[in-house]
Amino acid sequence: MPRDSRIGRWIESARSYAGIVHGVQRVSRRPIHQVIHTLAIFRLRYGGNPRFFADAGLVDVHPSHYGDYVDDAAVIPLQRQTTVPHWRYLEENKLAFAARCAEAGLPTGEILGVIVTDASEVTPWQGAVARSADELHSMLRGIGDAAVIIKLVYGGLGYGVHGATIRHGIPRMDGQLFDAGALLPWLAAQHRSPSLWLIQRRIPPHAGLHELMPGPGLGTVRIHSFLGADDGVAIRWAHLKIPGAGQTTDNFRDGGGTTAIASIDLASGRLRHCVGRRDPSDVLRPSDVHPVSGARVADVQLPDWEALLTLVRRAALAFPELPALGWDVALTPAGPIIIEANWQFGVTGIQIAHRIGVRRELGALLARVTAPRASASGLE
């Protein structure tokens, strides 16, 4: 690497560290030397990410507990052991996921049609399928005037998701009007492969959540299930994802987006506190109110909480091939509805929302479904 490049990277890294240190000092009101000292311990002894140090509030945690925290990179290998590759399509393919949910009588978002941008692509979907501009025009006319979500069948992490409004068979998406002939190549250009898209009717939140979620994005409850060999279901760690203004999805992106998250008391379904940013350059901070809207978060009672827990237990049993899952469940006027599940769920959001380290407990839960291989993960 050229010397100038190394110097440039060093300068950029120093600026990033300085920004994190000042952000933590501003939020925590700790002496700056203490912030630098504890960050250095976390970084040098545990190899931790400085941004995670800031966003998880580790300046307020004694360094002797830093080992309780774990990053996604350490968890992914065990998740891969937990989930046999042959069965991962049940979660990764949204059509297969919807079909399994339908077989089990689990409520999910209504699929209005499937768009195929590559004529050679094969899909088992038995409903409306559009492979040409004429077929797409007919599909959109059949849907009628509606607010919809168009997303990749194999998409994830909030990518490949577009909100649209259909009027007289013409969708407006991302600020543009498309006729059917223009929409097909536009979708094909967004993500070349795979080339399957589905259309779902946009789901509104429960009326009791309108203040927290004024739109357009629908926030979901992320909650985790662990299915043991005895068919018992352990439910652990729940938090509410609250989309930022103008967002279509509620993906937290490890704290890099504008979505805020609120920890949930599992027993009662009551929100504890909110963690979010006042602006994109700020570090995450916990608060009793939403950092941007000011809406009250702490002590808000989520509607239909017992029904949500029952639904997640049923769903976990309906997917025995995927014994450890992070579920996204929407609380709607019609009750809890499953949006999706994730076999490779991240742990950053859990630890930031709840202000805890989950290394040991997560290791024990995964050992319940992967024993005796859990010790290989390093999550003891």
Side-chain angles (χ1 to χ4, degrees):
M1 180 185 296
R3 183 171 179 273
D4 289 348
S5 297
R6 290 199 302 271
I7 293 174
R9 289 194 177 187
W10 186 88
I11 292 173
E12 186 60 34
S13 178
R15 286 175 176 168
S16 176
Y17 271 74
I20 289 171
V21 167
H22 284 289
V24 172
Q25 195 276 330
R26 185 172 61 251
V27 171
S28 67
R29 300 185 184 280
R30 299 269 183 166
I32 197 163
H33 71 271
Q34 183 179 0
V35 176
I36 294 172
H37 176 69
T38 52
L39 173 57
I41 293 174
F42 183 67
R43 181 68 179 144
L44 298 175
R45 186 179 300 174
Y46 298 98
N49 183 291
R51 174 57 63 180
F52 178 75
F53 173 89
D55 291 341
L58 294 187
V59 71
D60 296 321
V61 175
H62 194 277
S64 63
H65 292 291
Y66 287 169
D68 296 341
Y69 292 80
V70 61
D71 62 19
D72 292 339
V75 175
I76 289 172
L78 188 56
Q79 290 175 322
R80 288 175 175 161
Q81 292 181 42
T82 304
T83 310
V84 177
H86 174 75
W87 296 111
R88 293 174 188 171
Y89 80 94
L90 288 171
E91 174 263 302
E92 295 169 344
N93 182 326
K94 291 179 173 57
L95 297 176
F97 180 78
R100 174 63 68 88
C101 287
E103 291 173 6
L106 303 171
T108 59
E110 178 188 5
I111 297 177
L112 303 173
V114 172
I115 304 172
V116 183
T117 59
D118 181 345
S120 65
E121 187 77 53
V122 176
T123 173
W125 181 248
Q126 299 299 309
V129 177
R131 296 177 178 274
S132 67
D134 288 343
E135 290 176 346
L136 181 54
H137 179 70
S138 177
M139 177 190 290
L140 295 175
R141 294 284 294 184
I143 290 173
D145 292 354
V148 300
I149 295 291
I150 301 176
K151 58 187 177 182
L152 278 167
V153 168
Y154 290 95
L157 299 176
Y159 297 106
V161 179
H162 305 275
T165 303
I166 301 174
R167 293 288 183 269
H168 308 297
I170 304 296
R172 176 183 290 274
M173 183 166 56
D174 294 351
Q176 294 180 260
L177 285 173
F178 292 85
D179 60 27
L183 182 56
L184 274 174
W186 188 88
L187 290 174
Q190 302 308 301
H191 300 270
R192 293 186 179 279
S193 179
S195 52
L196 293 172
W197 299 76
L198 58 82
I199 303 178
Q200 289 182 304
R201 197 176 303 278
R202 190 186 290 271
I203 302 171
H206 188 283
L209 298 176
H210 281 174
E211 186 177 3
L212 287 177
M213 303 175 195
L218 172 67
T220 60
V221 172
R222 168 60 63 89
I223 187 168
H224 303 82
S225 67
F226 300 86
L227 184 60
D230 58 355
D231 289 337
V233 180
I235 303 294
R236 197 69 186 97
W237 303 305
H239 57 266
L240 179 67
K241 297 182 288 182
I242 307 171
Q247 280 189 286
T248 301
T249 72
D250 66 353
N251 193 268
F252 185 57
R253 303 193 196 286
D254 289 344
T258 58
T259 291
I261 52 178
S263 64
I264 304 171
D265 177 67
L266 269 177
S268 66
R270 191 174 292 275
L271 300 183
R272 289 178 174 140
H273 60 252
C274 178
V275 181
R277 303 181 195 279
R278 290 181 180 174
D279 62 71
S281 64
D282 199 5
V283 299
L284 291 171
R285 62 179 73 200
S287 175
D288 288 344
V289 300
H290 191 281
V292 178
S293 70
R296 179 75 182 179
V297 174
D299 298 323
V300 169
Q301 176 64 55
L302 295 179
D304 301 323
W305 184 246
E306 287 301 324
L308 181 147
L309 294 177
T310 298
L311 176 60
V312 172
R313 290 190 182 96
R314 287 177 54 211
L317 293 171
F319 286 83
E321 303 91 342
L322 308 174
L325 288 169
W327 299 90
D328 287 337
V329 184
L331 293 165
T332 79
I337 291 178
I338 294 173
I339 301 300
E340 64 181 22
N342 303 270
W343 69 264
Q344 195 168 297
F345 57 83
V347 294
T348 300
I350 298 171
Q351 296 175 119
I352 288 176
H354 293 275
R355 293 329 225 198
I356 58 171
V358 301
R359 177 185 292 273
R360 291 178 179 82
E361 186 175 0
L362 179 62
L365 287 165
L366 290 175
R368 185 171 181 263
V369 299
T370 62
R373 292 175 294 174
S375 60
S377 71
L379 297 183
E380 298 88 348

